[in-house]
Amino acid sequence: MRFVHGFISFVLWIIAIPLLLVGLARALPFDNLLSLPQLVAFTPWATLATLPLLIVALFSRRWVLTLLLAAALAGFVYWTAPFFVPPETSTAADPADAGTLRVMTVNALYGQADAEIVVDLVESQHVEVLAVQELTPAFEEALADAGLGDLLGHSFTVPAEDSPAGSGLWSSTPLTEEDQLSGTSFAMPSALVAVGGTSVRVTVVHPHPPMPTEIATWRTDLVELTEQVHSDETPQIMAGDFNATYDHASFRDLLGSRFSDATREWGAGPAVTWPEGSPVPALFALDHVVVENDMPVSDVVSMQVPGTDHRALVATVVVE
């Protein structure tokens, strides 16, 4: 009997330790060491796994484990619950209004995404600004052949051959003051878009992924992005594959007190976007539309695009 009791305790602790580590990683004010970026990404899923384990620990009277799991669950709920709280007004804004902007972002996976589907989504979702990451010359040509120019006639692109470093920005209205962030691994083009009577700088975001041996590069890219967007007082929208979830401290540093994550503000739950198109379902919300705090958002949805491992993310941003 003592052996069985000890074995159950052992199993419970083996299951609990990864969940507790995720909670600890999420509580830290930094995420650029060891495997912290990978651990933090599991925060929403750790929330779901912790509750049943807490119940088992409680009813089996393992008090230390119960206390630790209860603390972890409280943290997980505190961090995750805001994603399910809708804004005071949850009425979808009309993309046809002059003061709104319908934004879409998609990572094309080395240009392997289905260009015709991307263009179909632009048309069906009434997209006015499109941000594409991992843009290759061939994919840019495929988008043109699929008729993207007929829908979004203005563009600023920085394609890259056989590399994830390329990005592009398309708009239904003229782009002005085109620019490119400096000091980042991948291209992050930006330009001003006129929305009603307001000029908004839209930036295509794509930092280096936080691979175990390249976490410093990932962190440097996000720091460069953070410093440059916060130094610009122009109203801004950022869209792209941030290679980070809201639970990453580096992403929250980017938001600061100025910006908001559109998915979190819409309150319909985390919009998981990666990995897509594999036996493993999409688990992580890496793709974001980031807006100024005073820009309400609505109708934030993710959508499948064949050929890429990311879901597209679409959002309506109320600028005026």
Side-chain angles (χ1 to χ4, degrees), residues 278-292:
S278 68
V280 178
L283 295 173
F284 308 113
L286 301 184
D287 301 83
H288 305 269
V289 173
V290 170
V291 301
E292 301 274 356

Side-chain angles (χ1 to χ4, degrees), residues 73-141:
L73 182 61
F76 290 144
V77 171
Y78 175 76
W79 296 320
T80 306
F83 280 94
F84 298 91
V85 178
E88 294 181 2
T89 171
S90 57
T91 303
D94 185 356
D97 289 348
T100 67
L101 194 66
R102 187 70 166 158
V103 180
M104 173 174 158
T105 177
V106 62
N107 181 315
L109 186 61
Y110 286 80
Q112 298 179 65
D114 188 318
E116 291 187 358
I117 296 297
V118 171
V119 174
D120 286 346
L121 286 177
V122 168
E123 183 172 21
S124 65
Q125 291 298 310
H126 309 289
V127 171
E128 297 164 283
V129 167
L130 172 67
V132 177
Q133 304 85 56
E134 303 201 14
L135 177 70
T136 62
F139 188 66
E140 182 175 5
E141 183 177 348

Side-chain angles (χ1 to χ4, degrees), residues 29-37 215-216 218-219 250:
F30 54 86
D31 54 15
N32 58 329
L33 295 177
L34 301 174
S35 297
L36 289 182
I215 291 175
W218 168 75
R219 172 66 177 170
S250 294

